[in-house]
Amino acid sequence: MDKIFYILAALTLIAAFMVVISRHPIRSVLFLVATFFLISAQYILLNAQFLALVNIIVYAGAIMVLFLFVIMFLNLSRDLERFASWMPIAAAGISVGGIGLLLLASYRGAQISTDTVGNYDSGLVEQIGEVLYRDYLFPMEVCSVLFLVAMIGIVLLNRKERELPAKLPLP
Amino acid sequence: MSELTFKIIFIVAIFGISLFVAMYTTYAERKLAAFLQDRLGPNRAGPFGLLQPLADGVKLFFKEEFIPRVSDRILFIAGPAIFMCTALMTSAVIPFAPDLEINGTTYSMQAADLNVGILYLFGVVSLGVYGILVGGWASNNKFSLLGAIRAASQNISYELAMGLSIVSLVMVSSSLSLRDIVDQQSGWSWNIIYQPLGFLIFIVCAFAETNRAPFDLPECETELIGGYHTEFSSMKLGLYLFAEYIHVFISSAVLASLYFGGYQFPYVSDLDPGLVKTLLGGLVMFAKTGFFIFLFIWIRWTLPRFRYDQLMNLGWKVLIPLAVLNVLITALFILI
Amino acid sequence: MNHIPEIIRTIPLSHYVALSSALFLIGLLGVLIRKNIIIVFMCIEIMLNAVNLLMVAAASYRGDSAGQVMVLFTMAVAAAEVSVGLAIIVMIYKNLKTTNIDLFDQMKG
Amino acid sequence: MNPELILHLILWPPLAGFLINGVFGARMPKWLVSTIACFSPLLSFAASVAAYIQLAGQATTVKLYTWFVGEGSAIVDFSFLIDNLSIVMLFVVTGVGTLIHVYSIGYMSGDRGFHRFFAYLNLFVFFMLLLVLGSNLVVLFAGWEGVGLCSFLLIGFWYDNLEYNRAASKAFVMNRIGDLAFLVAIFLTIYTTGAVSFADLHDTMTNDVRINDPAYVAISLLFFIGVCGKSAQIPLFTWLPDAMAGPTPVSALIHAATMVTAGIYLIARMHFMYDLVPVTQLVIGITGCLTALVAATIALKQNDIKKILAYSTVSQLGFMAVALAAGAYITAIFHLVTHSFFKALLFLGAGSVIHGLHGEQDIRQMGGLRHKMRWTYGVMLVGTIAIAGLPPLSGFFSKDEILTAVHSHNMGFFIALALASAFTAWYMFRMFASVFHGAFRGKNETWEHVHEAPWSMRGPLVVLAVLSLAGGLLGLPAITGQSHRLYNFLVPAIVQPKISASHAFEYALWGISLAVILTLLVICFKRYGSSGPSVPSVTPSFFERLLVNKYFIDEIYERLFVHPLKIAGSWLMHRGDYGIIDRVVHFPGKVVESGAFALRNLQDGKLSSYLLYSVVALLIFLTLFLIF
């Protein structure tokens, strides 16, 4: 049964990798949606059902639709993008490899405790709600303010500039 | 019969029922439309034209498979598939009947009793947009793209009001599990009594989410020819059309479960758990669902189509404020 | 549904760490080698999700809901960030008629 | 009233006036600006009267706070000394100051910088009060520098005239030379005595009497160089005539009545030290005599009404310096007071004339003004007689006292001063006759518009005329049988024997001077009364050329100091500054610049590059995090 995890993990990584290497933006988006689905599945495995569904609703249902929207709107599919030339790719490869090595090194050095606490309900909506509204009420309010600000910002960003009259009326 | 086997059988059954209901919804739609327009409707295939849906299906299967040359082939095929899948996935959390107890084992008449069932409903419904968007975009057709974008923005907009109306429902029932919500409404104590405004908002949103008239702008023939499925033919078109009817069925079922007590009915609720109760409950559930399907069809053939800006105005400027107001009122009542 | 997690518990947490690290690196790679800014943006989302995954795993193993609440906040902020970011991208596209990140060369101080 | 309150009332109103007028003046109506400007010194004057009533005869020190503790043990307080000497100076500063403020309302009424002018004037009064009241050398120096600043600001008041700006800079630079010496003197004082307040210095120096102690000689000489700068003694006097570029009230207040006498005040304040150093006294005496003579002779041939008065001021300051050299400190102060009366009167009168003639300053273009400017004529007559030294006006008594004191001290000085006072009478009568008598020599349309000054100007003139008339009553000589009031008043502050001479000498002096002055009066009126100053002859004699060109002192300075300095400066600029210092200074800059140019390529404005940089930075930080 624990094979599920490894299968899902492999699929997740493949999907994520496909996001990176797909030359077609729409395919990238769809692979990303798949990635999110797989990650949600991981959440369900971890008994974090609430977060799994929130992940789907927020990322797959809202954020990715926005991406899809923008890509379709800008009609970017016309020109299939060429990747960066070899220099940036080499730089990127080196830096990513470096960070990977570092992560590996720190992972070797880290003491990851293997003992688990038997609270299976920590991912349930009641538990999360309690913690959220008891300990993290203020950050949540701040989040709502953040959304308000983001909303206003977007409206302002995309507001059409009021056009000036071509000629000033003569007095 | 192990639980898993039962689950598999049950899921297959639900799929079958969904498809069957959807199939005959098309029949009902045409019959009712004919009735409302003082016609006869389909009456050739079988008695009263009852075999008409089958005939339609066969016709669609044998039509020419046409994929435009300039389209994105994979996505063009993926679009209707995604749409159909998401439509069918929705039924997983709907409790169709009371639990059945035979020989001490309990058989749940529900594919999955998620404790966050409503969220699941939401997630899957919001995914339905992908089917439309992908299909519409892959057609590489102006009208399809416009239809797809209309559908997507319509769905997203109305999801908000829908979510808010459900928030107040959840506040009343204090559970996200559909099973719990249905169980709470035994007898006559249906949620419609506590949430009349929420119900109204929900049903309007349900019409918009299913892209049904009067909100069927994404496929508005007069403006966009056929909307997102302009370029589709054969069974791919069939999937789109069919999925829409499945959406109607599921929406009706959800409406029945959330606001009209699902399988709960006076007398039925008081029965002891058992085969009788399960059967009666299922009957009640399907009766209520049938009523809502009828409502869907009735409204489609009665009301004229909205204009797109009217639709958006209704969604953002009327329904969302109303839903927020509803949440506030509910909170007030809960406090008192 | 509690029997699935119990089986999953046989998997050490370190495997989750490895998975999310790999996911993070893939996202990072995408950020660096892709030229379409929207894809870059999406790769950033992958990185965010990698972090989220690790956090959920840790929270789940520790039986502490606070970690999941944090993930909730991450998602909220990500949603706001994406909406603003996409709005900016659309504006840039309107002005420059491109989404090629190499052509965004007007950020000189 | 307690002394601290009195002090606050004296000191702060002018500063407040400066702040109000300086900050808000541009937006306030003129009547409000002038009211504030005139009332602030008036308030100080009233407070000075209160100080006179309450505190006369006792030296009161008011300490506000400890300013800083100097090297060693010299504690420098921000404290003030009100004794009889400062009270006399207070009266001069605030009294004459107030009158000149009132006068300025009329004189400056048409000027764009009206509020600026009054703000500067108030600031000047404040610094002057700081100077006069300071109980130690440091506070005094603060005031000293402040008045220098105000002098600079006011000389260059009409800043759109380049010539005026040059004059302002010249004054400032020359004062700097003196101020440097002053500062070194303060350091030396602190170094040798460890004290900085006058009371402590007095105690130290009178306890330990060392005549011609080298340290004291050095200090006193350095102080005297400072005095030379501020009080326009040879060799640092050339700035004062040029300072006439400022508005006339400024010349009256700063460059005649108050600021230039600060040096005299300083030496009077430090008299206990100068008593100990006869060498310095001799130097002061010689310098003073030379100054008095040189300036008086230059004034003989000047044609600019204000320049004549400026040289006259220099000359009179020389008189005071000689009096100081003779140990007659009170006499010097007496002359300072009377001089402030009549010289302010003369300047203001000259201002009235200039005002009436719309800016004409050349006495060759004047004449016969007594018909049109009766008031000015009257007050100028009083002033001229006072400075010329006819009894019983104030100038007569003070100058007579100086001569008496010098006579018993050093015969050479006496002769020089007698000569100088004869010259004084000559150039004053020459000026007076040329301006007011005879026929008008300017343009006809100017004559048409000649008018008497408004009352705001006439009022102060009349008050000053009365003071000039009666100022001598402060210090009547012994032969009149009256007591010397100023002497009696100042003796607690300045310890000094009474000046006395034989009656025969006194009468002889009076008689001779009266005879000489009257003779000069007659000659002058005959010579200049009708035709004004003569046109320079075609072949001027050597002396004439010398006098007209002010002994070529400016030119000599130009050759002797400025030119070599310029050459050395430009050499240093090219070789030293550009060649060495700039290279040294620019080297790190060049390194940074070239490094920045190299690094600049990193900031190419490309989003993709920035993303890469941030990842690299992450890499680096992670590495560091891992290592440490």
Side-chain angles (χ1 to χ4, degrees), chain A residues 24 26-27 30 33 37 49-50 53-54 56-57 59-61 64-65 68-69 72 77 124-125, chain B residues 72 74-75 114-116 119-120 122-123 126-127 129-130 133-134 137 145 149 152-153 156 176:
Chain A
H24 205 302
I26 297 259
R27 291 204 184 144
L30 293 178
V33 174
F37 261 104
Q49 300 164 13
F50 177 69
L53 285 167
V54 169
I56 286 180
I57 292 172
Y59 274 108
M64 293 323 294
V65 173
L68 209 54
F69 239 66
M72 288 180 178
S77 51
L124 299 192
V125 62
Chain B
D72 187 316
I74 298 173
L75 294 181
L114 282 179
N115 56 7
V116 282
L119 284 182
Y120 173 83
F122 256 96
S126 62
L127 290 177
V129 180
Y130 283 102
L133 269 178
V134 167
W137 179 79
L145 185 63
I149 285 178
S153 37
I156 289 178
L176 285 173

Side-chain angles (χ1 to χ4, degrees), chain B residues 45-167:
Chain B
F48 307 107
L50 272 175
L51 295 179
Q52 185 65 39
L54 274 178
D56 284 346
V58 170
K59 183 197 78 175
L60 282 173
F61 266 116
F62 284 102
K63 275 233 168 175
E64 188 195 351
E65 177 91 16
F66 180 78
I67 297 175
R69 196 169 52 80
V70 288
S71 67
D72 187 316
R73 278 185 73 91
I74 298 173
L75 294 181
F76 191 76
I77 296 167
I82 295 170
F83 198 49
M84 191 69 190
C85 281
T86 51
L88 282 172
M89 274 163 71
T90 332
S91 56
V93 289
I94 294 170
F96 284 99
D99 287 351
L100 180 65
E101 263 190 56
I102 300 171
N103 302 334
T105 32
T106 312
Y107 296 103
S108 173
M109 290 293 145
Q110 189 182 11
D113 180 17
L114 282 179
N115 56 7
V116 282
I118 291 181
L119 284 182
Y120 173 83
L121 219 58
F122 256 96
V124 176
V125 166
S126 62
L127 290 177
V129 180
Y130 283 102
I132 297 175
L133 269 178
V134 167
W137 179 79
S139 309
N140 205 352
N141 174 320
K142 227 175 268 177
F143 296 112
S144 302
L145 185 63
L146 277 176
I149 285 178
R150 273 188 180 189
S153 37
Q154 178 178 332
N155 277 19
I156 289 178
S157 308
Y158 276 76
E159 227 167 69
L160 288 174
M162 198 181 204
L164 282 170
S165 70
I166 287 188
V167 163

Side-chain angles (χ1 to χ4, degrees), chain C residues 28 31-32 37 40 101-102 104-109, chain D residues 603-613 615 618:
Chain C
L28 198 60
V31 166
L32 291 182
I37 188 161
V40 170
I101 201 164
D102 286 340
F104 293 180
D105 55 356
Q106 285 161 16
M107 303 221 296
K108 284 176 195 143
Chain D
Q603 197 192 7
D604 55 0
K606 282 189 179 176
L607 194 53
S608 46
S609 319
Y610 292 173
L611 282 171
L612 186 62
Y613 301 154
V615 172
L618 178 70

